[in-house]
Amino acid sequence: MFHDLYVAYSRQVYSYLLGRTGSKDVAADLLHDVYLRIWNRMEALERIPEEQRIYWIFSIASNLVKDYYRKSSNRRQAEEQLRDRNKGAGAPAGDLSQLLAGRERYRELESAIGALPEELRCILLMKVVGGMNSSRIGEALGMPAGTARYKISQARALLAGRLGLPQTELAAAERSKSNG
């Protein structure tokens, strides 16, 4: 049962955590903690109807994110440390202008996603990284599917504006990522 839960929800929970924290490392650590709590409370989980388990799992994830920020002395300080660490990454040797241009564009995208309001960033990452549809996002976050679709659209529009792209190009890039 535990393995099945991990397979069914880990990608979705990770995308939620990534959206809430903006850090792949923190999201991975929190995902580990989510499943550790699930493991330690398997008896409680068995009493929850199967269709309600996703809510329970996302409530654990939400509580862990709150704990994470509560323990952090300052969210901005943590974000500054993350930026400083990313700035310190070494550049590859050689004349790789295309690779560098691609990496720069990736950094622009990562920065634009990080600048989104937390709720929009979270929902967009649940869609793109987690592969969740608006109905599942709505279920997990306790909102109507139409509201989730609207917020995804808002996030895309903000990203497209910040990156100077037509919104249709951004949606096409998302589809190719999820198909690849």
Side-chain angles (χ1 to χ4, degrees):
M1 179 174 173
F2 180 81
H3 176 75
D4 294 338
L5 283 173
Y6 186 84
V7 170
Y9 301 118
S10 63
R11 182 175 169 196
Q12 297 167 1
V13 174
Y14 173 79
S15 65
Y16 169 77
L17 295 168
L18 181 61
R20 293 290 310 272
T21 64
S23 167
K24 294 175 187 175
D25 293 335
V26 172
D29 288 344
L30 290 174
L31 180 67
H32 175 268
D33 292 345
V34 167
Y35 279 92
L36 182 61
R37 285 198 182 176
I38 292 170
W39 177 261
N40 289 330
R41 300 187 63 205
M42 286 300 288
E43 287 180 19
L45 179 67
E46 290 171 356
R47 293 188 298 270
I48 298 172
E50 195 169 325
E51 65 276 0
Q52 298 292 315
R53 290 179 181 167
I54 190 169
Y55 302 120
W56 186 72
I57 293 169
F58 272 92
S59 70
I60 291 171
S62 178
N63 288 335
L64 285 171
V65 168
K66 290 173 190 170
D67 290 347
Y68 167 76
Y69 282 122
R70 203 174 290 128
K71 289 176 186 175
S72 296
S73 64
N74 181 328
R75 180 178 176 180
R76 289 180 193 235
Q77 179 183 7
E79 289 173 350
E80 287 173 11
Q81 290 173 352
L82 178 62
R83 276 194 290 273
D84 291 344
R85 187 174 66 205
N86 287 340
K87 286 180 186 175
D95 184 21
L96 304 172
S97 58
Q98 284 187 328
L99 176 62
L100 292 174
R103 285 186 178 176
E104 182 59 32
R105 194 64 176 161
Y106 177 78
R107 284 189 197 110
E108 287 177 36
L109 176 61
E110 197 171 50
S111 176
I113 291 171
L116 288 173
E118 183 178 304
E119 181 183 35
L120 296 181
R121 180 179 65 232
C122 180
I123 289 171
L124 182 67
L125 291 174
M126 290 173 80
K127 168 81 173 148
V128 176
V129 176
M132 297 173 74
N133 63 31
S134 56
S135 295
R136 295 293 285 175
I137 293 169
E139 288 174 11
L141 299 180
M143 68 176 60
T147 302
R149 280 191 297 278
Y150 174 73
K151 291 183 181 291
I152 291 166
S153 178
Q154 279 184 309
R156 286 178 178 153
L158 283 171
L159 273 181
R162 289 185 176 144
L163 297 172
L165 296 171
Q167 191 171 349
T168 54
E169 186 176 324
L170 192 61
E174 283 178 25
R175 281 191 301 279
S176 71
K177 182 186 181 315
S178 63
N179 292 335

